[in-house]
Amino acid sequence: SLVWAARPGMLFQKHRDRSLHPLDLSWVFGYNSSLAVHSLMDGQHRVLLYVSSHTVVIHDILRSRQFHMQGHTNVISCLCVSEDKRWVATADRGPDPLIIVWDSYSGVPVRTIFESHSEDGLCAIAISQDAKYLVTISAATVQKVCVWRWTLPTEKPVCSTELKPEFGYQDYVIFNPQNPHEFVSNSKTQVIFYLWVRQSQLWDENTALLLSPQTFKCLVGQFSQSVFHFNNTQALTGTSAGKLVVWDMDNPRTLPEELPAKPHGVTATKVVSMQKDSLTVLTVLESYIVTGDVKGQVKFYDGQLLLLTIYSHDQVGPLRSISFSTILHDPLSALPGSTQPFLTSWSDSSNSVSLTLNRNFILSTSDATMFHVATDSTNFERIMKEAKKAVNAIACHPEEPYVAVGSHCGLLKVWEYKQTQYLVSRIFTEAGIQCLSYDPEGHFLAAGFTDGSVYILDAISLQSICEEFQFSKSPVTHISFSHDSKYLATADENYSVTVYQRVLQDGSRCWEHLAGLESHYKPIRSILFGVHPDSNEPRLLSLGEDRQLVEYDLKSSIKDHLVVTHRDRLEQAAVPLCLTWYPQLGTESFFLTANNCYKMKLYNTTTKMCRKTLLGPTYGSPLEKIQILPRTSSADPQQHYLVYITKDKVGLQMLPVDGNPHKSSAYICHPDGASDFAISHDGRYIFTAGGKERTFMKWKVNLPALDAAAFLGGEDLIPFYNLLDGGREGKFFRELEDYFYYVQLCSQGIQTLESRQVSTHIPLEEIPSVMRAIGFYPSEEEIEDMISEVKFSKYADTGEEVTEINLENFIKLYINHRPALGLSMKTIQRAFQALGYDNKKGDKVIDRGDFLSLLQCRGEQMTEDELAECLTTLLGRRPRRGGSELDTCESTGAAALTEEEIPAEITAEIFVSDILGLPIAE
């Protein structure tokens, strides 16, 4: 009904209730400049359609409004729009690619095609003039061309064919406007014409369509785009040499009932030299041929390729697309009260011949700029200029609604995000911007660059307040101010931390370099300023992939000497990825980390002791960065939230963290990788940077929606029961109960005749036994962490130690500590890759003697008796006292085991199935 009743211009009129989602996409900045931009409406409603990452954006420029059509999980790789601008078809490239047809009037997806090209997705798509058919070309090595009747509810194409690799990578396709059964595609070197009739019949006319310089005794160049001539007897292809190849097609061009023995002939009859500059865009408008080139020129030709007029301006770069308005109109005038914060106009006199055309058009360039061109006045109006390289840096002002964004092209822009108004920008030509940070008072904006330089700028004007610093020899990856704005710290790709200090010099305060230190031996993941608990002095920490947390003594540090007070190893095997201060929810103070095993850990800020291990959000990839959400004035003062990004998602997590999966939610923000995020000072908005996608997004926070989701997920242990195999009524839970109460029997003595004390608790020292019995095999350090977690859980509040645990708390402990994704064969195989060698068969193996030696002499070392007990239990026999014996460690001797028990060469599969006795997943 929404589609049936929809009319042009109604999209922004309908009320959209977004209260159902904890995060709502509010605005998209930037777009994919490699794809076309389409003009949907002109005149009083200047509405554009373009692609940003995985989102289709319909943007009302004059009224500063956006509508987002979301449905793809991968970056959109191609799109097309019907002649009447109503139907929009998009496709993506990546795992599980989709084709989606949208109604641009209502914003509703009317058709989704799954498993269209399951290998690599799509690289080109087109829609027929009558809007009934789609043609798609896959992005696979062996490309597949399919024709779809998208108006019918079928998942199979009408017809399809595979292309030979020698045809080149076909990346452009278009229908014949006068015949939906005919279309053309081209690669850089070849053009293919197609004719289809019915199911499974698709003919590609591919003979003699490879042109060489000898064909017409001139340099043809690489093909860019192809179109059918409006006379229906010819086709045209633009080239990088500024030429048009004219293809003549034999008559008649009518559809036969059956495919002929030979398709209609297509012959390259001539190559017309149009200009010296490369042609990048070629299209047909009514009875005109229109070209666009690398110098930003738009030229109109008649059917005989005679030049009619030129539209050009020196501010316009290489053209990527030209889109004409659909209506005839009077000259444009801005609406009263409309905001046009980023519009810039120029006029240019073009040498033109009389052209009876009154349709304005939109230009998009490969350097991420859009222009509106009025054909009656040759007025070029720049409506958007975005980053043309990766956007990795983003920061929010601590007091004002400003967001600063930096890209690798050196462009630094500041936006007022409530009204979405562009404020100021600066271009750095020497290097790209890698990271940004405002100081807590909002006076300074610090920027770290890809060449290792650091700039400290005025937060309003973006002018440098001092000379740039150049103390890093590699890109600066992190930058942060202390709470009192006296220190600035950076981290770079050389694993070094550098500190700058604000000092009083000649009566005024200025910044100077204090000291630097190569404090890690693997990439630094976080630098974090805090405040010492017993003073107001700044505290600086850095966390690296080397698992080291390093704390620095800034007060004792002097020029060129950065003092380290503590080095603590936080993880045994996992890699910590991010770090933040945890809100003061009790008497004890913590900082929070997240690792690559989907675990979050709380550490005491003073002792650095791990106090709690918790299951973190599991949305396809581990947490990359985390921050505490600032509290809004209307929020519950006792409730806190955590903001995080994973590889491709942004999410919210309710605090305190307890492993409940219903307390978190996440949404795809940048499928090709989220590089950074920032939070507005009032906690109402989150901004995510898309890295190489060259976009960033504004998300509106809706905390009641997350609270409701957590409430609906159940209270107490209900969410945790659902994480067990089979749930509360399943076999696994019953086995756990049996083990739990069996331990009580053992602790009181199996053979005792005394009255038994029925209890709901077991001693803490029995935790490892029950964990192993139900299939979780923690290391000794993990066992120590589990016992300490329970033992000291009430110590800060009561001063007493806990000596036993009940079933409910044991279930939480198990769920939070067990591997988040279960046992993985890949983990064992990686270990064998590192420790083993290639045998004669090419398998990775570990020698039997080395295997036994490693268990006794490396890592958490096992004694000879422990090893003997474990192996004999696993192999189902008792140690033999006589006969053939095998030394398990040459230096110490070992338990006696026959050679038949363990093979001389052990593979990962033998270790898992024959020694551990675990099943290997198919």
Side-chain angles (χ1 to χ4, degrees):
S1 59
L2 288 175
V3 176
W4 182 263
R7 295 294 181 269
M10 293 178 57
L11 184 65
F12 296 101
Q13 297 176 9
K14 66 179 186 178
H15 176 69
R16 291 180 289 167
D17 184 7
R18 298 299 186 115
S19 61
L20 299 178
H21 305 290
L23 290 177
D24 170 44
L25 182 58
S26 176
W27 198 270
V28 177
F29 301 80
Y31 70 102
N32 186 346
S33 59
S34 64
L35 298 181
V37 175
H38 294 272
S39 173
L40 296 186
M41 298 179 66
D42 208 349
Q44 292 187 341
H45 300 274
R46 190 181 302 171
V47 180
L48 306 182
L49 181 142
Y50 53 85
V51 167
S52 290
S53 184
H54 64 306
T55 303
V56 182
V57 181
I58 298 180
H59 189 171
D60 186 340
I61 296 293
L62 299 180
R63 290 181 172 82
S64 190
R65 301 178 296 185
Q66 284 187 351
F67 184 89
H68 307 116
M69 299 193 294
Q70 298 173 275
H72 291 276
T73 57
N74 305 306
V75 171
I76 296 173
S77 57
C78 50
L79 84 158
C80 60
V81 178
S82 64
E83 181 68 20
D84 61 1
K85 305 296 179 76
R86 176 163 192 177
W87 310 109
V88 179
T90 56
D92 62 63
R93 183 184 301 178
D96 303 318
L98 299 176
I99 301 172
I100 303 179
V101 181
W102 313 81
D103 173 25
S104 69
Y105 293 177
S106 63
V108 173
V110 295
R111 179 70 196 283
T112 301
I113 301 175
F114 299 91
E115 299 180 356
S116 57
H117 299 274
S118 56
E119 291 184 8
D120 297 292
L122 294 92
C123 68
I125 190 169
I127 190 168
S128 61
Q129 183 84 0
D130 58 8
K132 293 181 180 179
Y133 300 99
L134 293 175
V135 58
T136 61
I137 302 179
S138 71
T141 304
V142 178
Q143 292 184 286
K144 187 176 182 180
V145 182
C146 296
V147 177
W148 309 82
R149 179 72 183 265
W150 68 268
T151 55
L152 299 179
T154 176
E155 292 296 321
K156 293 184 178 181
V158 175
C159 55
S160 63
T161 188
E162 288 189 351
L163 301 180
K164 300 175 183 178
E166 53 264 32
F167 292 161
Y169 187 76
Q170 302 284 318
D171 57 2
Y172 184 80
V173 66
I174 189 170
F175 274 99
N176 184 345
Q178 302 179 56
N179 183 0
H181 292 261
E182 192 171 20
F183 56 93
V184 62
S185 72
N186 67 261
S187 65
K188 300 298 182 186
T189 58
Q190 297 204 31
V191 179
I192 305 177
F193 291 84
Y194 307 80
L195 187 67
W196 66 274
V197 176
R198 64 174 188 270
Q199 176 73 25
S200 301
Q201 288 192 325
L202 180 60
W203 192 286
D204 53 286
E205 305 177 10
N206 49 58
T207 57
L209 302 188
L210 172 64
L211 301 184
S212 67
Q214 289 74 32
T215 306
F216 292 99
K217 297 182 179 179
C218 67
L219 179 65
V220 177
Q222 293 185 331
F223 297 145
S224 56
Q225 293 184 356
S226 301
V227 294
F228 287 92
H229 199 291
F230 51 79
N231 63 19
N232 202 30
T233 62
Q234 292 178 319
L236 306 170
T237 299
T239 78
S240 61
K243 296 178 173 61
L244 282 181
V245 180
V246 180
W247 309 93
D248 276 1
M249 301 183 290
D250 297 343
N251 286 323
R253 303 305 298 174
T254 56
L255 181 67
E257 294 184 0
E258 296 289 338
L259 281 178
K262 182 180 179 181
H264 301 310
V266 179
T267 308
T269 57
K270 58 182 175 180
V271 173
V272 182
S273 181
M274 312 300 291
Q275 59 187 52
K276 293 182 179 179
D277 301 310
S278 174
L279 297 177
T280 56
V281 181
L282 179 62
T283 186
V284 172
L285 175 69
E286 298 173 355
S287 58
Y288 304 109
I289 307 296
V290 187
T291 66
D293 60 33
V294 292
K295 287 191 174 180
Q297 299 180 106
V298 180
K299 298 181 180 180
F300 288 78
Y301 299 88
D302 64 10
Q304 303 301 315
L305 299 182
L306 296 177
L307 180 64
L308 299 177
T309 190
I310 303 174
Y311 291 87
S312 65
H313 196 281
D314 56 8
Q315 297 286 334
V316 183
L319 292 181
R320 180 60 190 86
S321 69
I322 304 172
S323 179
F324 292 89
S325 61
T326 57
I327 58 173
L328 301 176
H329 53 80
D330 295 323
L332 288 179
S333 59
L335 293 175
S338 65
T339 59
Q340 302 181 49
F342 40 84
L343 305 186
T344 307
S345 300
W346 306 280
S347 292
D348 193 13
S349 58
S350 34
N351 47 344
S352 60
V353 184
S354 175
L355 179 67
T356 57
L357 175 69
N358 196 24
R359 292 175 65 175
N360 297 338
F361 53 91
I362 297 293
L363 302 179
S364 69
T365 68
S366 58
D367 57 3
T369 308
M370 296 184 200
F371 295 88
H372 179 274
V373 183
T375 56
D376 52 359
S377 64
T378 67
N379 185 56
F380 283 71
E381 185 177 41
R382 187 172 67 197
I383 55 180
M384 195 177 297
K385 181 176 177 60
E386 300 298 337
K388 51 190 175 185
K389 290 187 180 179
V391 176
N392 284 343
I394 193 165
C396 285
H397 195 281
E399 295 178 357
E400 301 293 336
Y402 304 152
V403 58
V405 184
S407 77
H408 276 189
C409 65
L411 177 63
L412 174 60
K413 295 179 74 172
V414 178
W415 294 79
E416 198 279 347
Y417 53 75
K418 287 189 176 179
Q419 301 299 323
T420 320
Q421 290 184 339
Y422 158 72
L423 297 179
V424 65
S425 65
R426 179 177 173 182
I427 296 179
F428 297 85
T429 58
E430 296 81 7
I433 303 170
Q434 184 68 29
C435 52
L436 291 169
S437 177
Y438 281 100
D439 79 299
E441 297 174 356
H443 297 155
F444 308 116
L445 176 62
F449 286 76
T450 53
D451 65 351
S453 60
V454 173
Y455 283 72
I456 302 178
L457 312 173
D458 180 84
I460 303 300
S461 67
L462 301 186
Q463 296 303 307
S464 301
I465 64 171
C466 61
E467 291 292 324
E468 72 271 16
F469 296 104
Q470 187 74 58
F471 289 92
S472 296
K473 297 180 180 179
S474 62
V476 177
T477 56
H478 300 78
I479 193 164
S480 181
F481 284 94
S482 62
H483 74 286
D484 55 6
S485 300
K486 291 182 179 179
Y487 294 95
L488 171 69
T490 66
D492 59 41
E493 289 186 0
N494 280 348
Y495 320 141
S496 298
V497 172
T498 306
V499 178
Y500 303 89
Q501 187 177 17
R502 195 177 178 202
V503 296
L504 187 63
Q505 192 176 66
D506 298 331
S508 62
R509 292 196 173 274
C510 62
W511 290 90
E512 69 174 18
H513 173 257
L514 177 62
L517 180 67
E518 190 175 327
S519 47
H520 296 268
Y521 62 90
K522 285 187 177 182
I524 297 173
R525 297 298 307 217
S526 295
I527 56 172
L528 185 66
F529 272 106
V531 183
H532 279 285
D534 53 352
S535 69
N536 198 39
E537 291 297 319
R539 185 180 184 185
L540 178 62
L541 306 172
S542 67
L543 177 67
E545 291 183 11
D546 54 7
R547 304 180 179 87
Q548 296 290 319
L549 179 72
V550 181
E551 182 168 1
Y552 307 88
D553 187 347
L554 298 177
K555 193 172 183 179
S556 302
S557 298
I558 58 175
K559 184 66 175 178
D560 296 328
H561 181 64
L562 187 59
V563 178
V564 173
T565 58
H566 296 95
R567 287 182 181 271
D568 298 278
R569 180 177 62 82
L570 296 189
E571 298 279 0
Q572 182 181 30
V575 177
L577 300 179
C578 45
L579 169 73
T580 192
W581 299 107
Y582 198 68
Q584 191 79 31
L585 302 179
T587 55
E588 197 171 1
S589 299
F590 303 105
F591 59 82
L592 177 71
T593 68
N595 64 32
N596 65 337
C597 294
Y598 299 91
K599 300 297 183 182
M600 305 176 80
K601 293 189 175 184
L602 291 174
Y603 294 86
N604 184 282
T605 56
T606 304
T607 64
K608 314 289 175 53
M609 177 182 176
C610 180
R611 293 288 291 104
K612 220 165 194 181
T613 299
L614 303 144
L615 176 65
T618 53
Y619 295 110
S621 59
L623 306 192
E624 298 283 342
K625 295 185 178 183
I626 55 177
Q627 285 186 43
I628 300 300
L629 183 75
R631 284 184 292 181
T632 62
S633 57
S634 60
D636 182 357
Q638 300 301 317
Q639 185 64 63
H640 296 264
Y641 300 84
L642 179 79
V643 182
Y644 60 86
I645 56 172
T646 67
K647 179 182 177 181
D648 60 348
K649 299 177 182 68
V650 58
L652 282 173
Q653 167 77 52
M654 289 180 64
L655 300 182
V657 182
D658 59 4
N660 181 352
H662 300 291
K663 286 188 175 182
S664 69
S665 66
Y667 300 87
I668 297 175
C669 56
H670 302 284
D672 274 356
S675 59
D676 200 2
F677 76 98
I679 309 173
S680 64
H681 65 91
D682 58 4
R684 297 182 185 273
Y685 298 99
I686 300 169
F687 299 86
T688 58
K692 63 182 181 180
E693 293 177 5
R694 296 167 289 170
T695 63
F696 74 101
M697 298 181 177
K698 181 176 80 169
W699 302 80
K700 189 175 181 180
V701 177
N702 181 26
L703 298 179
L706 182 60
D707 297 339
F711 175 78
L712 293 173
E715 297 179 340
D716 301 325
L717 275 179
I718 293 176
F720 297 93
Y721 287 140
N722 294 333
L723 295 177
L724 297 176
D725 186 19
R728 175 67 176 80
E729 306 300 325
K731 178 182 177 181
F732 181 86
F733 180 80
R734 293 196 299 271
E735 286 186 356
L736 176 56
E737 279 187 316
D738 291 342
Y739 287 129
F740 199 81
Y741 295 117
Y742 177 71
V743 166
Q744 291 189 32
L745 295 176
C746 292
S747 63
Q748 297 177 28
I750 296 294
Q751 305 296 333
T752 182
L753 298 178
E754 299 178 3
S755 299
R756 295 192 177 275
Q757 302 295 323
V758 179
S759 172
T760 58
H761 296 73
I762 62 171
L764 295 187
E765 54 269 20
E766 297 295 341
I767 288 177
S769 301
V770 182
M771 290 289 183
R772 289 165 180 153
I774 58 178
F776 170 39
Y777 309 101
S779 66
E780 294 300 317
E781 185 171 311
E782 288 173 325
I783 290 171
E784 184 180 340
D785 286 344
M786 283 190 289
I787 293 177
S788 296
E789 179 178 322
V790 180
K791 186 176 184 179
F792 298 108
S793 58
K794 299 180 180 178
Y795 190 83
D797 297 324
T798 64
E800 298 179 353
E801 296 180 357
V802 176
T803 59
E804 54 187 11
I805 186 172
N806 61 21
L807 180 60
E808 289 76 14
N809 288 331
F810 182 89
I811 290 174
K812 289 184 179 181
L813 191 71
Y814 166 70
I815 288 172
N816 283 318
H817 280 265
R818 70 177 180 179
L821 304 179
L823 292 173
S824 171
M825 186 64 190
K826 290 183 179 179
T827 305
I828 305 295
Q829 290 170 340
R830 282 197 298 267
F832 272 72
Q833 288 283 339
L835 300 174
Y837 62 91
D838 292 323
N839 64 4
K840 294 180 180 179
K841 296 180 180 179
D843 299 326
K844 278 290 181 183
V845 298
I846 298 178
D847 179 77
R848 177 175 53 207
D850 293 340
F851 170 74
L852 299 173
S853 177
L854 286 168
L855 291 175
Q856 295 182 77
C857 308
R858 300 288 295 274
E860 291 186 346
Q861 302 171 9
M862 302 178 71
T863 65
E864 184 179 351
D865 290 340
E866 288 173 336
L867 181 59
E869 182 181 358
C870 285
L871 289 177
T872 52
T873 302
L874 287 169
L875 299 173
R877 62 184 298 278
R878 289 313 231 170
R880 293 173 57 181
R881 296 299 179 185
S884 174
E885 296 186 354
L886 175 69
D887 289 336
T888 59
C889 186
E890 294 181 1
S891 59
T892 62
L897 289 171
T898 60
E899 294 183 1
E900 289 78 12
E901 299 291 345
I902 301 176
E905 292 182 338
I906 306 170
T907 64
E909 289 72 22
I910 290 174
F911 175 68
V912 170
S913 61
D914 296 348
I915 297 178
L916 296 182
L918 298 175
I920 300 177
E922 292 294 334

